[in-house]
Amino acid sequence: MTTLRIGPSGLVASNDPISDAPKLPEGPAALSVTPAGVSDDFDRVKAAEVSARFATTKAKIPDLMGDWRNATVQASVEESARATFWPEVEAALADAEGQKGDRLSRREVGMIVTAFEEARMPAAIPTVAPAILKNAKTREKAIDDSVASHRQIVAQKKDPFMPVALGDPAARAKEKVLWENKNVMVLVDAFSDKPKALVVPKKPVSFPVDMKKKALDELAKVAAEVSAGFAQATGCQDAEIWINPPQYLTVKQLHVHVGPPLADWDTAKDDQELEKEMNGFWAAMTAVLGQRLKHFK
């Protein structure tokens, strides 16, 4: 029987030999591997929760490296905690699949995993956190280990952004570019249920530690202007700005999330009406960013 499984960082994998989902190793090694190449809705939801769970800041000019390092340490704690009860999760998934007599849907898998996490994470985290959070050296090791263990995995993920950066017409037709210069582009986050933008470097890179300080500083300043642009266009408060830690990356290319505190799009509206509203909103944001970012050459 095909078994749909979730890796310890919350991403889906399968033991189906013809599945395009990545395979997880059996035994203890399965507890330390994050599946690669998955970009379904469940994974995106897990990644979207990072800002709230890891307490990203709303500074005028964000400390992208500092916030990312903090999130990576916290994600490492979560990953280690999840590993302590992972055999029980896999047993529950196998049992549920056996009762169903068919492979579980991603939503069904997600519901089981979420139930275990809600029940077991509060007790599991205190058992692993002290060793990771002990001092600067142990925190640094958690960051280094996270990057090292996920580098190859992230390298295999899809990359929808670099073709846009390189000017591929087909890729650009799928994305809405709000602003760009030779180094950076600002895109609409097409998978967000509310207005949200992504600030993406045009040079291939997956982790902040691989960027020069000048390039990372430019991303931070552009992201801050995008946050201010949302505020100017809507009157909202400052946006949350963050980079997902290695454990929660869903695509290969690094990208900065700029999530303003705005309501979800009103999907109860007629499709044409909603599309008109969204297009009008992003046209206004394009104009605002064009003015706010005109000094970025």
Side-chain angles (χ1 to χ4, degrees):
M1 177 186 295
T2 296
T3 302
L4 194 64
R5 305 168 65 196
I6 299 282
S9 62
L11 304 186
V12 180
S14 169
N15 71 348
D16 182 350
I18 63 172
S19 172
D20 61 358
K23 299 173 181 61
L24 292 176
E26 300 298 330
L31 298 178
S32 61
V33 175
T34 306
V38 184
S39 58
D40 60 16
D41 291 340
F42 179 73
D43 297 348
R44 292 184 183 279
V45 168
K46 295 290 286 187
E49 294 172 349
V50 166
S51 66
R53 293 190 359 265
F54 295 153
T56 54
T57 61
K58 297 181 181 179
K60 291 295 183 182
I61 303 294
D63 178 8
L64 292 179
M65 180 66 82
D67 287 348
W68 174 84
R69 289 169 64 84
N70 178 59
T72 300
V73 170
Q74 293 187 56
S76 179
V77 171
E78 280 191 354
E79 200 169 28
S80 295
R82 191 177 288 112
T84 66
F85 57 84
W86 203 252
E88 297 173 57
V89 175
E90 293 205 320
L93 291 172
D95 182 61
E97 200 163 64
Q99 291 185 43
K100 182 179 179 180
D102 195 4
R103 71 183 295 173
L104 301 177
S105 69
R106 295 183 188 276
R107 183 174 298 277
E108 290 169 331
V109 172
M111 289 175 65
I112 292 172
V113 173
T114 297
F116 266 93
E117 289 187 342
E118 290 178 349
R120 301 295 299 278
M121 271 291 194
I125 285 178
T127 68
V128 300
I132 296 173
L133 304 179
K134 183 178 180 180
N135 53 44
K137 185 176 180 180
T138 58
R139 287 172 177 266
E140 190 65 34
K141 184 178 186 302
I143 294 168
D144 291 344
D145 289 348
S146 294
V147 172
S149 63
H150 292 274
R151 186 177 291 280
Q152 184 176 359
I153 294 164
V154 173
Q156 298 175 43
K157 292 184 179 293
K158 295 179 180 179
D159 185 356
F161 300 137
M162 282 311 298
V164 178
L166 296 172
D168 179 79
R172 285 191 164 245
K174 297 177 181 178
E175 304 286 346
K176 189 179 291 293
V177 180
L178 301 176
W179 176 88
E180 63 185 319
N181 67 5
K182 61 181 172 51
N183 300 321
V184 182
M185 56 187 179
V186 180
L187 309 176
V188 171
D189 187 342
F191 287 90
S192 176
D193 294 329
K194 61 182 65 178
K196 181 168 171 283
L198 303 174
V199 180
V200 187
K202 287 190 172 182
K203 289 186 177 180
V205 63
S206 295
F207 307 110
V209 289
D210 296 330
M211 295 187 69
K212 293 183 178 179
K213 184 179 184 302
K214 182 179 179 181
L216 195 60
D217 286 347
E218 182 176 15
L219 284 185
K221 291 174 182 177
V222 170
E225 290 291 353
V226 174
S227 174
F230 277 119
Q232 180 179 334
T234 69
C236 71
Q237 299 298 308
D238 292 341
E240 280 196 294
I241 300 172
W242 76 96
I243 298 173
N244 284 350
Q247 291 87 342
Y248 291 93
L249 291 177
T250 59
V251 296
K252 181 179 179 180
Q253 178 69 359
L254 182 148
H255 50 287
V256 182
H257 298 260
V258 183
L262 295 171
D264 289 1
W265 298 109
D266 186 359
T267 54
K269 291 183 177 180
D270 174 83
D271 286 350
Q272 290 185 334
E273 182 183 1
L274 179 58
E275 182 178 7
K276 182 178 179 180
E277 177 184 329
M278 294 171 71
N279 287 339
F281 179 91
W282 293 122
M285 274 296 293
T286 298
V288 167
L289 294 181
Q291 287 298 312
R292 298 196 68 92
L293 294 168
K294 62 184 179 182
H295 58 287
F296 284 85
K297 304 298 183 181

